[in-house]
Amino acid sequence: MNNEPNAPVTIIGLGLMGQALAGAFLKAGHPTTVWNRTASKADRLVAEGAHLAPTVGDALTAGSLTIICVTDYQAVRELLGASDVALDGTMLVNLTSGNSAQAREAARWAEQRGARYLDGAVMAVPPVIGTAEAVILHSGPQSDFEAHRSTLDVLGTATYLGADHGLASLYDVAGLAMMWSVLNAWLQGTAMLRTAGVDASTYAPFARQIAAGVAEWLPGYAAQIDSGSFPAEVSALETDARAMVHLIEESEALGVNAELPRLFKAMADRAIAAGHGGEQYPVLIEEFGKAGDR
Ligand code: NAP
């Protein structure tokens, strides 16, 4: 039943994401059972051939694989912890967003109740679900992932990260750090350029090119971090720190927000004070590895 092209699946939670997940399974021909707290959100899917289960317990018994995708882990626990819900023998894939501690705790909780459990994170928006562009991360027992890989692949590019249930959430939040850092850096530059009458659309292609160029540095810099050795092959951190002063001074002179550049500089200054000024930028990993101010 597992990797068969017609394996029955269940989706619990029909918000924007859950509806997209169920829609992709229906399109691929999987018998699809759905359940949502607000039942009317199932109407379109039922018209397309989904079966609406009357209760969560019924939904769980209908599929060889159950995907749950609701707002948060608390909602997962409320739904699956109800007294009329039996998890014994079920295969759960929880695509609800959260943090790694919540994922590990949910895994323990579900496994104690006899379920097999994979945690997951959707690195995509609903419109691309069902295409290869939709990367969906999974962590937990590899044998469970492999047993359902082709079914999970219907939703996008199913990617397995490792046995630690927390990994999918960790990658997910690490990705958020990347996303907001790039966006904030772009907004900083855009705010500065707008003072000279350059609009956001004019700057965006330049910013995109810079972001793509910097992304090319990552494998080499990662090798430095992994080896713990940071020779200044391109530039030394103290050179970068001097350029940060230009960014701060320019921002202040233009009257735009300089908090982000000051944060860059404060971290670089600490690393320089610790004796790393002659090393290359990724030596800052040592600052990022500390708890810092709370
Ligand atoms: P959404 O449209 O707001 O839907 C939330 C879903 O959770 C609804 O089905 C809602 O039921 C259900 N729910 C919330 N609290 C509940 C409770 N206490 N009991 C039962 N059901 C409950 O959110 P979404 O966009 O589908 O997102 C779902 C998950 O996917 C989130 O963890 C989100 O971070 C993640 N995600 C979303 C996107 C995206 O672009 N949308 C991308 C990546 C990841 P009702 O319909 O009855 O309210």
Side-chain angles (χ1 to χ4, degrees), residues 98-116:
N99 62 43
S100 60
Q102 289 174 319
R104 292 182 188 120
E105 168 55 22
R108 267 193 301 276
W109 181 84
E111 287 172 355
Q112 276 166 4
R113 281 157 185 76
R116 307 196 70 78

Side-chain angles (χ1 to χ4, degrees), residues 13-18 35-38 41 69-72 75 78-79 95-97 122-126:
L14 299 175
L16 293 171
M17 186 55 78
W35 183 91
N36 194 56
R37 178 177 62 181
T38 308
K41 288 191 186 168
C69 186
V70 288
T71 303
D72 53 28
E78 279 171 28
L79 286 175
L95 296 185
T96 302
S97 302
V122 182
M123 311 291 282
V125 290

Side-chain angles (χ1 to χ4, degrees), residues 120-134:
V122 182
M123 311 291 282
V125 290
V128 301
I129 296 297
T131 72
E133 197 186 319

Side-chain angles (χ1 to χ4, degrees), residues 48-207:
E48 290 170 8
H51 167 68
L52 176 62
T55 67
V56 173
D58 291 317
L60 277 168
T61 55
S64 56
L65 175 72
T66 294
I67 291 181
I68 182 160
C69 186
V70 288
T71 303
D72 53 28
Y73 278 72
Q74 194 183 332
V76 171
R77 188 69 78 90
E78 279 171 28
L79 286 175
L80 300 184
S83 56
D84 59 342
V85 172
L87 295 186
D88 198 25
T90 58
M91 176 68 235
L92 297 175
V93 180
N94 182 10
L95 296 185
T96 302
S97 302
N99 62 43
S100 60
Q102 289 174 319
R104 292 182 188 120
E105 168 55 22
R108 267 193 301 276
W109 181 84
E111 287 172 355
Q112 276 166 4
R113 281 157 185 76
R116 307 196 70 78
Y117 182 92
L118 287 167
D119 207 87
V122 182
M123 311 291 282
V125 290
V128 301
I129 296 297
T131 72
E133 197 186 319
V135 173
I136 304 187
L137 307 177
H138 300 84
S139 50
Q142 185 161 12
S143 55
D144 288 333
F145 175 76
E146 295 303 340
H148 297 279
R149 177 195 280 269
S150 64
T151 305
L152 294 170
D153 258 335
V154 166
L155 302 176
T157 302
T159 305
Y160 179 72
L161 299 172
D164 173 357
H165 283 99
L167 281 175
S169 290
L170 261 181
Y171 271 73
D172 189 18
V173 293
L176 296 177
M178 196 72 182
M179 179 180 81
W180 286 319
S181 297
V182 172
L183 289 176
N184 285 341
W186 171 63
L187 291 169
Q188 177 79 37
T190 300
M192 293 167 73
L193 283 160
R194 273 158 54 99
T195 66
V198 180
D199 60 20
S201 301
T202 303
Y203 177 51
F206 286 85

Side-chain angles (χ1 to χ4, degrees), residues 202-216:
T202 303
Y203 177 51
F206 286 85
R208 186 178 174 173
Q209 213 169 1
I210 294 164
V214 172
E216 291 297 314

Side-chain angles (χ1 to χ4, degrees), residues 180-189 244 247-248 251 256-267 281:
W180 286 319
S181 297
V182 172
L183 289 176
N184 285 341
W186 171 63
L187 291 169
Q188 177 79 37
M244 288 172 185
L247 174 57
I248 293 168
S251 299
V256 306
N257 193 306
E259 286 170 276
L260 188 62
R262 281 195 212 108
L263 175 65
F264 298 163
K265 179 76 169 36
M267 292 191 87
Y281 202 81

